[in-house]
Amino acid sequence: MSTPLICVVEDDPIMGESLADRFRLEGFDVDWYTDGESALGAMQTRPYQAIISDIRLPDISGENLFARSVAARTSLPPFVFITAYGCVETAVSLLKSGAADYITKPFDIGALVEKVRQLTGTCIPDQALPAQSELGVSEAMRRLADLVPRVAGRAKSILITGESGVGKEVLARFIHHHAPGDGTPFVAVNCGAVPETLLESEFFGYERGAFTGAGRQKKGYFEQAEGGTLFLDEIGDLPLCMQVKLLRALQEPRITRVGGEREVETNFRLICATNRDVAELVRAGKFREDLFYRINIVQLRVPALRDRPDDVLWLAHRFVKDIAGRLNEPTKLFHPSAEARLATYGWPGNVRELQNRLERACIICPQNMLFSSDIFEEDGAQAPAVMGADTPLDDYMAACESAFIRSALLQHQGHISETAHALGISRKSLWEKMRKHSIATGLLH
């Protein structure tokens, strides 16, 4: 958003300087003129968004300034006039001619600032929430969330990459939720957890009597996912022999159960995930190149939690709320020291580590307030890495302040006044800090 430019026309040097200084402090650009003719000339070339003018000027009256401005332009920024009590009738006449408003001396400069904010569309909203999505508040996760509706209904195969614990399955379920068809199955399979001897029967299913112990027919993962989504987690751990069979099942698309003779058609959306470099596995001969191209039609990468620190407190508050519901207990609150610690910790275990630490803290801590030591037991001995060993103090404090403000806004449902009161600062100070930390906002109406 560009800085609003306003024009102040006031011949009193003390009054004019005070107005110009205050509006600059409030974030406006200000041109100050001490006579009407100079201001009138500037109005022809400068893109003012509001004019503040005294009615009594040394050369021409404010009334004359307004009339000539109207005659010279097809569109005019809003005029606010400053008048003494005895000139109120003139000011009312100006309102009838199209002026925006007037104030009488002596006046509250803060009220004038708010009036100009409203006229220029820069007023502080009563309610604002940090821009967020169902996946997070960071720009990276909001971009992912925006992309999902487009790929969910169009791509038959999606590859999700990212470190262990970043939330790849969460993204997969999010994609499934946005895909066409209500109530369709979501079948999740950890490829590294299925014994190699059972891979074929688990994926393809089997007929009764196909082998010892097969007392009934069983549908495999391919059939269980019919019409829905098959999520293959850690696809890089799938043995080569099974990779061949998976590729054929995707290309046909039909399968034959173990011990069966009849082919069964399949129709599912495939989402694969891995924390490994599949291209490197292909070069090493551990992953089939043709299968890699088949599953890599669309690739979505989930960044590590340390690379999206804005999401930490957003996730933390969601986790403690869910944990409280599961334990049938009041939702625990975070002490400011805990929030600062959460916001600046490196999170080598990503979202999974965050969730595990908070679950343990909620179970063990008897109080309703979580302190840093409740979440990080090791703080008394060896503290985990915080941002970086050479992180400047200013950067550390800025990260803490940004995270704390985001958390407070979310806790108070975006109410600026409530949030500012809770933080012990003014609404203006809160809004300025939000701008300083680039806390994007989605305004609620």
Side-chain angles (χ1 to χ4, degrees), residues 280-405:
E280 181 58 37
L281 293 177
V282 171
R283 286 190 289 271
K286 296 180 179 179
F287 200 90
R288 292 184 61 93
E289 185 175 20
D290 46 6
L291 178 60
F292 173 60
Y293 290 130
R294 181 65 180 79
I295 66 174
N296 195 34
I297 296 174
V298 173
Q299 183 176 149
L300 303 177
R301 178 165 185 80
V302 183
L305 189 55
R306 63 180 171 276
D307 295 330
R308 47 186 175 105
D310 290 347
D311 288 330
V312 175
L313 290 181
W314 181 83
L315 287 165
H317 284 285
R318 289 167 68 98
F319 287 151
V320 295
K321 184 177 180 180
D322 291 343
I323 294 166
R326 192 168 68 251
L327 298 177
N328 195 27
E329 294 178 353
T331 302
K332 293 189 184 296
L333 305 175
F334 289 102
H335 187 270
S337 66
E339 292 196 326
R341 194 77 168 86
L342 287 166
T344 54
Y345 175 55
W347 299 111
N350 290 297
V351 180
R352 184 179 294 122
E353 180 186 359
L354 172 63
Q355 186 172 21
N356 290 346
R357 282 183 178 272
L358 291 176
E359 185 161 7
R360 178 198 171 279
C362 288
I363 291 172
I364 293 178
C365 180
Q367 296 87 16
N368 195 41
M369 178 77 71
L370 292 176
F371 289 82
S372 177
S373 57
D374 295 318
I375 304 168
F376 298 94
E377 291 180 282
E378 63 271 43
D379 271 2
Q382 183 178 0
V386 177
M387 295 186 76
D390 57 351
T391 301
L393 180 60
D394 286 347
D395 291 352
Y396 177 84
M397 296 303 294
C400 292
E401 183 177 68
S402 175
F404 196 51
I405 290 173

Side-chain angles (χ1 to χ4, degrees), residues 7 9 11 104 147 164 192 210 215 227 275 277 310 343 384 392 402:
C7 175
V9 191
D11 62 314
T104 56
L147 181 61
S164 178
N275 61 6
D277 186 341
D310 290 347
S402 175

Side-chain angles (χ1 to χ4, degrees), residues 48-204:
Y48 295 122
Q49 291 177 253
I51 312 291
I52 303 169
S53 175
D54 199 342
I55 287 183
R56 292 183 175 178
L57 297 172
D59 51 352
I60 60 175
S61 68
E63 190 175 14
N64 185 257
L65 172 65
F66 181 69
R68 290 171 62 182
S69 299
V70 171
R73 298 174 56 141
T74 55
S75 62
L76 196 67
F79 264 75
V80 177
F81 285 99
I82 301 172
T83 180
Y85 180 76
C87 298
V88 169
E89 288 186 5
T90 302
V92 172
S93 174
L94 286 167
L95 290 183
K96 292 179 180 179
S97 300
D101 210 339
Y102 72 91
I103 58 173
T104 56
K105 298 177 182 178
F107 59 88
D108 179 1
I109 194 169
L112 175 60
V113 169
E114 289 305 310
K115 192 184 298 291
V116 173
R117 283 193 186 279
Q118 292 174 2
L119 293 172
T120 58
T122 59
C123 55
I124 299 174
D126 290 328
Q127 195 174 51
L129 282 173
Q132 56 183 305
S133 68
E134 294 179 66
L135 297 178
V137 297
S138 66
E139 184 180 355
M141 298 309 286
R142 285 188 283 118
R143 281 202 306 267
L144 268 181
D146 289 342
L147 181 61
V148 163
R150 177 169 177 79
V151 303
R154 300 158 65 96
K156 291 289 290 182
S157 181
I158 297 172
L159 177 63
I160 301 175
T161 61
E163 294 179 7
S164 178
V166 293
K168 296 187 290 293
E169 184 170 345
V170 171
L171 177 57
R173 291 184 181 276
F174 186 69
I175 294 170
H176 173 74
H177 175 73
H178 281 80
D182 295 330
T184 56
F186 179 90
V187 179
V189 181
N190 187 332
C191 295
V194 182
E196 191 166 346
T197 55
L198 299 179
L199 280 171
E200 189 169 359
S201 61
E202 290 297 315
F203 273 85
F204 291 90

